[in-house]
Amino acid sequence: HATLQTVDLATGDGLAGAARAQALAEGVEDRADLVVALARSGFAASATREAAGHPHQKETYVGTVASGQVVEGFIDLLYTDESGGLVVIDYKTDAEPSEQMIGEYQKQLAVYAAALGDATGLSVTRRVLVFCREGDAVEVEV
């Protein structure tokens, strides 16, 4: 997350260095190669590549009231598509996402969509989970 929020999505310049620095900052320097691989996977995901070509924001704070409770979070990547709708992308590092896990993440993204709708009056047209892993990312639209 931290690497993808700092790197230029158009070019990816400095991705490996940023990932290694983040691994050091998080105290997992011995896993720096894995952190680089996960960041590259997320960067190369088709949803990320699409976002890079549109107006986008990273680490966007949202909050709303759901079922009488204040709920808040940070959207990893948000962009406006060709139709003017909003697309929410959330990066995950689960190696193999289960159906149960995807269901929980779907709830999270539904709250994000509701918060965005409340704040902007715009529709969220897509919600995409990007599971970063060594090799290719797995993308799940929910």
Side-chain angles (χ1 to χ4, degrees):
H1 291 91
T3 300
L4 292 172
Q5 78 185 26
T6 60
V7 71
D8 181 341
L9 293 185
T11 66
D13 288 347
L15 185 141
R20 290 186 186 290
Q22 193 60 41
L24 177 63
E26 297 291 332
V28 292
E29 187 176 6
D30 60 325
R31 303 191 75 200
D33 289 342
L34 175 61
V35 174
V36 171
L38 296 177
R40 283 187 176 140
S41 169
F43 177 81
S46 62
T48 304
R49 302 302 343 119
E50 186 173 334
H54 293 84
H56 62 271
Q57 298 81 39
K58 303 174 198 173
E59 292 300 310
T60 303
Y61 172 81
V62 292
T64 192
V65 176
S67 302
Q69 186 174 21
V70 174
V71 183
E72 57 189 358
F74 287 89
I75 297 171
D76 294 333
L77 182 57
L78 173 67
Y79 74 94
T80 306
D81 67 15
E82 306 82 26
S83 70
L86 301 174
V87 178
V88 173
I89 298 172
D90 199 56
Y91 298 111
K92 301 297 183 188
T93 55
D94 309 284
E96 293 299 325
S98 68
E99 289 298 319
Q100 178 182 357
M101 194 180 301
I102 290 171
E104 290 301 313
Y105 292 147
Q106 185 173 6
K107 292 175 191 174
Q108 174 191 4
L109 294 181
V111 169
Y112 289 172
L116 286 168
D118 291 347
T120 67
L122 298 173
S123 296
V124 173
T125 56
R126 290 178 55 214
R127 294 173 281 173
V128 183
L129 295 167
V130 176
F131 292 92
C132 303
R133 52 193 204 156
E134 293 183 276
D136 294 332
V138 173
E139 298 179 58
V140 178
E141 192 160 336
V142 295

